[in-house]
Amino acid sequence: QVQLVESGGGVVQPGRSLRLSCATSGFTFSYYAIYWVRQAPGKGLEWVALISYDGSNKYYADSVKGRFTISRDNSKNTLSLQMNSLRPDDTAVYYCAREGPWVTSAFDIWGQGTMVTVSS
Amino acid sequence: SYELTQPPSVSVSPGQTARITCSGDALPKQYAFWYQQKPGQAPVLVIYKDSERPSGIPERFSGSSSGTTVTLTISGVQAEDEADYYCQSTDFSGSYVVFGGGTKLTVL
C-alpha cells in the first residue's frame, strides 16, 4: 500500500530552523518526483518545493526561495525539507505529495501532513 | 502570477447535483485536477486530466472542460460529500503548480 508519512513538525520561534521528513513505502520512490505542499490554518493549498526523481532538479515557490531546501535519499526512500529563517507566515500543515504520471504536474498520493507553528 | 478562480461556496440538498467551476486562462492547454479535502484530513484526488476518475472514487463524481473553465460535477450528492474542493493545474509553461482558492461544498 502506497504511503507517505510526514514527521518533524512542531512549534518554533521566528528566525529558527526546522527539518521535516517524509518516509515513503509501497512504491519505487526513485521513480517519482515529490512535492511539499502547505496549507495555512483556514487557507488554501500552496506548493512549496519540488524535487525531481533523482534529486538533480529542485524548484521552490518564491515565498520560500533562499530559506527552504528540499532533498531526498533514494536509498532510504525519504524526502526532507530543511526550513531556515522561519517566519510566522510559514505556519501551516506541510504535506508531501507524489507527482502522478501525467503530462501536467499533479498529485496522486498525499501524506497526512505535519503541523508547523512559528510563534514567539 | 497565474490564478485559478473558484466560487468560495456551493450549497445543495442531498440527492441534487452540485457543480463547482474553476476558471483559468491556461486550462485549454493544461489539464485540470480536482481534490476533495475533509476537515483535518489530507486532500484526495477525485478527478484527473479534466475528466478521469481514479479507482475507488464513486461514479457520481465527474469532470468536464470547456474553454477556460473546468467543472466538477457531483450527481446525487450525499452528506459525506460535504468538503472543500480544490482545482489544480499548472501555468502555461507547465513549470509551476497552481491551486484554485477552494470551494466549500455544503450539503443542506
Side-chain angles (χ1 to χ4, degrees):
Chain A
Q1 158 197 9
V2 176
Q3 267 196 315
L4 298 92
V5 179
E6 302 90 339
S7 61
V11 180
V12 61
Q13 293 179 329
R16 302 299 291 265
S17 300
L18 202 61
R19 187 177 183 88
L20 305 183
S21 296
C22 173
T24 73
S25 59
F27 66 101
T28 305
F29 180 67
S30 61
Y31 286 5
Y32 292 86
I34 307 287
Y35 280 75
W36 286 99
V37 177
R38 69 184 180 183
Q39 185 172 35
K43 302 297 185 182
L45 300 166
E46 177 192 18
W47 84 273
V48 172
L50 156 68
I51 189 166
S52 60
Y53 69 99
D54 60 355
S56 61
N57 294 295
K58 304 174 185 181
Y59 304 91
Y60 301 92
D62 288 344
S63 56
V64 306
K65 201 172 294 182
R67 300 187 298 122
F68 289 12
T69 301
I70 189 172
S71 60
R72 66 190 295 160
D73 185 338
N74 284 350
S75 68
K76 296 181 179 179
N77 299 331
T78 59
L79 175 78
S80 296
L81 185 68
Q82 177 66 40
M83 305 186 294
N84 298 332
S85 302
L86 282 162
R87 310 187 304 220
D89 62 357
D90 294 318
T91 295
V93 175
Y94 284 74
Y95 298 99
C96 55
R98 189 178 80 170
E99 185 176 70
W102 309 294
V103 172
T104 301
S105 294
F107 316 105
D108 61 351
I109 304 293
W110 298 66
Q112 87 290 349
T114 187
M115 182 71 203
V116 173
T117 302
V118 183
S119 174
S120 54
Chain B
S1 61
Y2 181 57
E3 295 182 349
L4 295 174
T5 301
Q6 297 180 235
S9 63
V10 169
S11 300
V12 295
S13 298
Q16 290 190 328
T17 296
R19 294 181 179 85
I20 301 172
T21 59
C22 173
S23 299
D25 289 340
L27 289 177
K29 184 178 179 183
Q30 303 291 352
Y31 285 121
F33 299 76
W34 290 94
Y35 304 92
Q36 176 194 66
Q37 186 180 35
K38 296 182 179 179
Q41 298 184 19
V44 173
L45 180 69
V46 295
I47 293 290
Y48 66 97
K49 289 174 60 179
D50 292 348
S51 60
E52 301 293 325
R53 194 173 54 250
S55 61
I57 300 302
E59 291 184 7
R60 63 181 180 273
F61 288 86
S62 63
S64 61
S65 175
S66 178
T68 59
T69 299
V70 294
T71 301
L72 172 69
T73 300
I74 310 172
S75 304
V77 167
Q78 300 181 5
E80 67 196 51
D81 299 330
E82 187 164 283
D84 293 326
Y85 290 85
Y86 293 90
C87 65
Q88 179 256 305
S89 186
T90 66
D91 63 350
F92 283 95
S93 68
S95 299
Y96 295 100
V97 163
V98 179
F99 289 97
T103 298
K104 181 176 182 57
L105 175 66
T106 299
V107 181
L108 301 171

